[in-house]
Amino acid sequence: MITHTTVTDGPQRFSGPLMRDVLGAAGLQADAVLAVALNDYEIEIPTADFDRFDVIAALSMNGEPLTPRDKGPIWIVYPRDDHAELQDIRYDYRWVWQLARLEAQ
């Protein structure tokens, strides 16, 4: 996926599995997940986002693996450029970088 972010310059190329596939592989069925970052930032994300949009669990940016120094090891990335409604601060809060875990809500 290629998209702009609010914290990088210009469009970036992200790769990783779709969040809906990650949840499916884990057998997780919930209305929302609590995404928790390494720095203890947390936010509840409706799982409907993952069905409605091609949100990914980014493992790399521009061909380079994400590390904790550059928002890794996993960064929840929305296809911001593909949907005008995703260019809203409510969705920006859901771009969890340094993802440590997901909890069913």
Side-chain angles (χ1 to χ4, degrees):
M1 161 195 322
I2 297 175
T3 195
H4 285 83
T5 82
T6 60
V7 295
T8 59
D9 294 326
Q12 307 295 318
R13 179 183 300 276
F14 296 96
S15 60
L18 291 168
M19 286 296 296
R20 64 177 160 263
D21 293 344
V22 170
L23 299 185
L28 187 101
Q29 294 181 343
D31 292 331
V33 292
L34 183 69
V36 182
L38 293 174
N39 67 356
D40 295 325
Y41 173 80
E42 58 183 50
I43 189 163
E44 190 172 288
I45 301 174
T47 54
D49 281 8
F50 306 146
D51 293 327
R52 194 164 165 215
F53 307 111
D54 288 338
V55 180
I56 66 169
L59 303 173
S60 68
M61 182 173 70
N62 300 320
E64 295 295 322
L66 290 169
T67 67
R69 296 187 87 177
D70 56 14
K71 305 195 178 358
I74 302 168
W75 187 1
I76 296 176
V77 175
Y78 280 72
R80 193 170 202 272
D81 291 354
D82 294 346
H83 305 274
E85 67 190 284
L86 294 179
Q87 298 171 24
D88 181 288
I89 195 164
R90 290 174 295 169
Y91 288 99
D92 292 342
Y93 290 129
R94 299 175 189 174
W95 285 61
V96 178
W97 57 72
Q98 295 180 327
L99 181 67
R101 70 181 186 277
L102 295 172
E103 300 174 6
Q105 297 293 290

